[in-house]
C-alpha cells in the first residue's frame, strides 16, 4: 500500500463508539459497573485494539483497506461473542475461591495468611542473595539496566528457576496487604508492616519496566483506597480518576519504552516514543493476513504451552518452549542463530485467530464472557468484604492484561493465593470463633 495513502478508519471509529455506548449504558444504571469484569473487558479491547485502529498510525500502512476492515470485523466478533457468553451464562467458575475466602475473613487469619505468603515469597530471594537484604532492596528501588534482575527467572531454567518462581507468593500477598492496610480492625503495627511491603512491591514493579507487574500491584492498592472513600467520593473517583489513571498509564508505558536500554522511566521524553506497547491491532492484521496462506493454524498449541507452563523444566526437560510471543517473533524474522531474541505478543484476538481462525474467536470469546460473568457473580460478596474486594480488583488486572495475550504467568499470583486459601481455610472455624484481632 502506498505510504501516502491513509486508511479509512471509519469502521474503527464506529466500533469504538459502539463499545463505549455499551459501557455507558451499563454505567447509567450504576456507575460502579465501570469496574465490573464486563466493562473492564470492553475497555481492554478498546485499549489494546480499537484505539490503534482509530489512530491508524503509519505502521498500519503496509496493510490494505481490506485487511483493516477484516481486522475490525474480528474485533467486533470478539465483542459480540463475549457479550453473548456473558449474557447467556450464569457463571460460577470462581465460587469455590470466594467460598474459601469467606471462611478466612477474619483480621487475625488474614494477617497470618499475609505473613505466610511473605515468608514463602521472600525465601528464594534471601537464598539467592545469600541473606544480603541490601541486594533485595537495591533490586527493588534502584534502576536496572534493560530491566534486568538478579532474581529473574530464566526462560529455560532448571531447579533454580523453579525455586525462584516461589516469588509468585509475593504477588499473592499484595491484595492481602492492601486489605490489612485499609482495615480498621487491624492494629497500627500490622498496617505499618503492610504499607512497608506495598512500598517494596510497588517500587519493584515500577522498576521492572513491566506493565503487568505494575497493574497487579496498583489495582489492589487502589481498591483499598477506594473502599475507605465516602459514597460521593467513590462516584467522582470512578468518573474522573479512572480516565486520569488511564492517561498516566499510557504515559508510563511510553516512558519505559524510551528508557528501556538504561532501565529507567524517561518521563521527559515519553512523547517521543514510537509505540507504547498497547498496539495489538497491527498484530491482528499481520496474523489474519498471513494465516493460513503463509503460516498454518496453531490448533491450540500456544494455549497448550501456557497450560503446562507451571510445570518446572527441571522436572520435564522436554517441556515445549515456543510460546506465542516467541513463535510470532520468528515469523517476523527476529531470529539470531535459529532462536528468537525477543518476544512479540500476538494480542488476545490475534492469538485466537492464529489457533483456530474465526471459530476460535467465537468460541474462546464466548468462554471469556462466561469467566467474566463468573467474576462479576462474586461482586455482592466483594462489596461487603474488604479482602474480597481487593482480590476482586486483582482479578480485574488479570482481565486487562489478557488483552496482550493469554499468559499463564499473569495468573500465578491468584494461583498462589488460592493455594494458601485451601490451606488456611481448613482452620477457619477455629479462627472465626476466636473473634477479632
Amino acid at each position: 500500500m502506498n505510504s501516502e495513502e491513509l486508511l479509512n478508519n471509519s469502521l474503527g471509529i464506529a466500533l469504538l463508539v459502539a463499545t463505549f455506548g455499551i459501557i455507558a449504558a451499563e454505567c447509567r444504571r450504576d456507575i460502579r459497573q465501570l469496574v465490573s469484569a464486563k466493562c473492564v473487558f470492553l475497555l481492554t479491547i478498546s485499549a489494546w485494539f480499537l484505539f490503534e485502529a482509530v489512530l491508524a498510525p503509519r505502521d498500519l500502512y503496509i496493510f490494505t483497506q481490506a485487511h483493516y476492515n477484516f481486522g475490525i470485523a474480528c474485533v467486533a466478533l470478539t465483542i459480540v461473542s463475549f457479550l453473548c457468553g456473558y449474557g447467556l451464562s450464569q457463571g460460577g467458575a470462581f465460587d469455590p475461591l470466594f467460598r474459601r475466602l469467606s471462611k478466612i475473613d477474619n483480621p487475625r487469619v488474614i494477617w497470618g495468611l499475609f505473613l505466610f505468603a511473605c515468608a514463602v515469597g521472600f525465601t528464594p530471594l534471601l537464598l539467592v542473595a545469600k541473606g544480603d537484604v541490601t541486594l533485595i532492596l537495591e533490586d527493588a528501588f534502584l534502576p536496572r539496566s534493560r530491566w534486568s534482575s538478579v532474581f529473574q527467572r530464566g526462560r529455560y531454567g532448571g531447579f533454580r528457576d523453579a525455586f525462584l518462581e516461589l516469588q509468585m507468593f509475593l504477588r499473592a500477598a499484595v491484595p492481602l496487604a492492601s486489605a490489612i492496610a485499609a482495615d480498621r480492625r487491624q492494629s497500627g503495627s500490622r498496617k505499618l508492616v503492610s504499607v512497608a511491603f506495598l512500598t517494596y512491591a510497588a517500587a519493584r514493579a515500577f522498576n521492572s519496566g513491566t506493565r503487568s507487574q505494575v497493574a497487579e500491584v496498583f489495582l489492589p492498592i487502589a481498591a483499598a483506597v477506594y473502599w475507605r472513600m465516602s459514597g460521593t467520593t467513590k462516584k467522582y473517583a470512578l468518573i474522573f480518576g479512572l480516565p486520569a489513571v488511564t492517561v498516566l498509564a499510557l504515559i508510563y508505558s511510553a516512558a519505559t519504552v524510551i528508557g528501556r536500554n538504561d532501565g529507567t522511566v524517561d518521563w521527559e521524553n515519553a512523547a517521543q516514543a514510537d509505540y507504547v506497547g498497547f498496539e495489538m491491532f497491527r498484530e491482528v492484521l499481520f496474523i489474519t493476513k498471513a494465516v493460513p496462506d503463509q503460516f498454518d493454524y496453531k490448533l491450540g498449541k500456544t494455549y497448550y504451552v501456557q497450560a503446562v507452563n507451571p510445570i518446572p523444566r527441571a522436572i520435564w526437560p522436554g517441556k515445549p518452549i515456543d510460546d506465542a510471543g516467541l513463535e510470532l517473533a520468528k515469523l517476523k524474522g527476529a531470529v539470531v542463530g535459529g532462536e528468537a531474541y525477543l518476544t512479540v505478543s500476538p494480542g488476545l484476538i490475534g492469538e485466537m485467530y492464529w489457533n483456530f481462525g474465526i471459530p476460535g474467536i467465537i468460541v474462546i470469546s464466548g468462554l471469556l464472557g462466561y469467566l467474566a460473568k463468573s467474576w462479576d457473580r462474586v461482586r455482592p460478596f466483594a462489596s461487603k468484604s474488604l479482602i474480597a474486594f481487593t482480590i476482586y480488583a486483582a482479578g480485574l488486572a488479570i482481565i486487562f492484561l489478557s488483552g496482550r495475550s493469554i499468559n499463564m504467568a499473569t495468573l500465578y499470583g491468584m494461583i498462589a493465593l488460592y493455594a494458601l486459601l485451601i490451606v488456611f481455610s481448613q482452620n477457619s472455624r477455629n479462627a472465626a470463633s476466636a473473634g477479632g484481632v
Side-chain angles (χ1 to χ4, degrees):
M1 188 173 190
N2 191 307
S3 61
E4 300 296 324
E5 184 179 349
L6 296 177
L7 290 169
N8 184 340
N9 63 355
S10 57
L11 288 178
I13 294 174
L15 185 56
L16 182 61
V17 170
T19 303
F20 279 1
I22 296 171
I23 296 173
E26 290 288 321
C27 295
R28 186 176 181 181
R29 295 187 295 107
D30 186 347
I31 188 61
R32 291 173 296 181
Q33 285 294 107
L34 188 60
V35 286
S36 66
K38 179 180 182 179
C39 287
V40 167
F41 181 85
L42 295 176
L43 290 170
T44 296
I45 297 300
S46 300
W48 293 96
F49 300 96
L50 288 178
F51 285 162
E52 185 185 16
V54 168
L55 294 174
R58 191 167 292 275
D59 289 56
L60 296 186
Y61 293 2
I62 61 173
F63 302 102
T64 66
Q65 188 67 49
H67 293 141
Y68 178 94
N69 293 344
F70 186 73
I72 291 295
C74 289
V75 178
L77 187 60
T78 298
I79 293 173
V80 171
S81 299
F82 169 83
L83 292 175
C84 288
Y86 187 97
L88 298 176
S89 65
Q90 296 297 318
F94 304 107
D95 287 3
L97 169 65
F98 281 83
R99 275 199 296 267
R100 290 186 179 278
L101 187 61
S102 65
K103 295 179 180 179
I104 63 97
D105 195 358
N106 171 281
R108 189 170 66 180
V109 178
I110 295 172
W111 174 247
L113 193 65
F114 165 70
L115 292 180
F116 188 83
C118 287
V120 176
F122 276 117
T123 294
L125 274 63
L126 286 169
L127 291 180
V128 170
K130 297 180 180 179
D132 187 353
V133 178
T134 302
L135 182 60
I136 297 176
L137 295 176
E138 288 178 349
D139 180 77
F141 290 94
L142 297 181
R144 317 168 189 169
S145 177
R146 289 195 64 84
W147 310 115
S148 60
S149 170
V150 68
F151 305 112
Q152 186 171 325
R153 179 181 66 89
R155 180 175 288 161
Y156 311 122
F159 282 107
R160 177 184 183 276
D161 298 288
F163 182 59
L164 279 172
E165 202 58 75
L166 288 175
Q167 295 176 77
M168 71 174 69
F169 284 89
L170 295 179
R171 294 158 66 178
V174 169
L176 299 172
S178 300
I180 292 170
D183 193 344
R184 291 186 174 90
R185 300 173 299 172
Q186 298 285 4
S187 67
S189 58
R190 292 178 181 180
K191 291 182 179 182
L192 186 61
V193 171
S194 298
V195 170
F197 170 79
L198 291 173
T199 302
Y200 162 82
R204 192 179 188 205
F206 187 78
N207 281 317
S208 72
T210 305
R211 286 179 301 276
S212 60
Q213 293 186 30
V214 173
E216 288 177 4
V217 173
F218 174 78
L219 278 181
I221 294 176
V225 173
Y226 176 86
W227 181 272
R228 293 295 299 269
M229 292 179 179
S230 66
T232 302
T233 306
K234 287 179 178 178
K235 180 179 179 180
Y236 287 120
L238 291 176
I239 296 175
F240 299 107
L242 192 59
V245 168
T246 301
V247 172
L248 183 61
L250 291 173
I251 297 174
Y252 167 75
S253 295
T256 58
V257 168
I258 292 295
R260 62 187 179 275
N261 290 330
D262 300 322
T264 60
V265 181
D266 192 345
W267 296 102
E268 184 177 350
N269 298 307
Q272 300 176 16
D274 53 355
Y275 70 96
V276 298
F278 286 92
E279 296 84 355
M280 292 291 105
F281 186 67
R282 65 187 63 182
E283 309 303 351
V284 173
L285 300 190
F286 176 83
I287 291 171
T288 55
K289 177 184 177 182
V291 178
D293 294 338
Q294 297 174 255
F295 309 107
D296 294 332
Y297 291 112
K298 301 301 290 184
L299 301 177
K301 180 181 178 181
T302 69
Y303 296 128
Y304 170 72
V305 170
Q306 289 299 324
V308 301
N309 191 40
I311 303 174
R313 194 170 300 279
I315 298 176
W316 182 12
K319 186 177 72 170
I321 61 176
D322 290 333
D323 61 18
L326 291 174
E327 290 280 272
L328 186 58
K330 290 178 181 178
L331 297 188
K332 290 195 168 187
V335 176
V336 172
E339 294 292 333
Y341 61 86
L342 51 74
T343 59
V344 181
S345 175
L348 175 68
I349 300 174
E351 188 172 12
M352 291 190 290
Y353 183 90
W354 194 7
N355 276 279
F356 302 111
I358 292 296
I361 292 179
I362 296 173
V363 174
I364 297 174
S365 296
L367 176 61
L368 294 176
Y370 162 76
L371 294 176
K373 184 64 169 285
S374 298
W375 201 244
D376 278 344
R377 177 185 169 106
V378 303
R379 289 186 75 195
F381 174 54
S383 66
K384 300 175 183 178
S385 166
L386 175 55
I387 180 64
F389 191 67
T390 57
I391 291 174
Y392 178 83
L396 296 182
I398 294 173
I399 293 173
F400 182 78
L401 296 171
S402 295
R404 187 168 178 85
S405 66
I406 295 177
N407 191 326
M408 195 69 181
T410 62
L411 300 175
Y412 281 174
M414 199 64 70
I415 291 173
L417 179 59
Y418 189 45
L420 292 175
L421 289 177
I422 291 175
V423 174
F424 273 69
S425 62
Q426 303 303 319
N427 298 319
S428 59
R429 293 183 178 178
N430 291 336
S433 63
V437 180

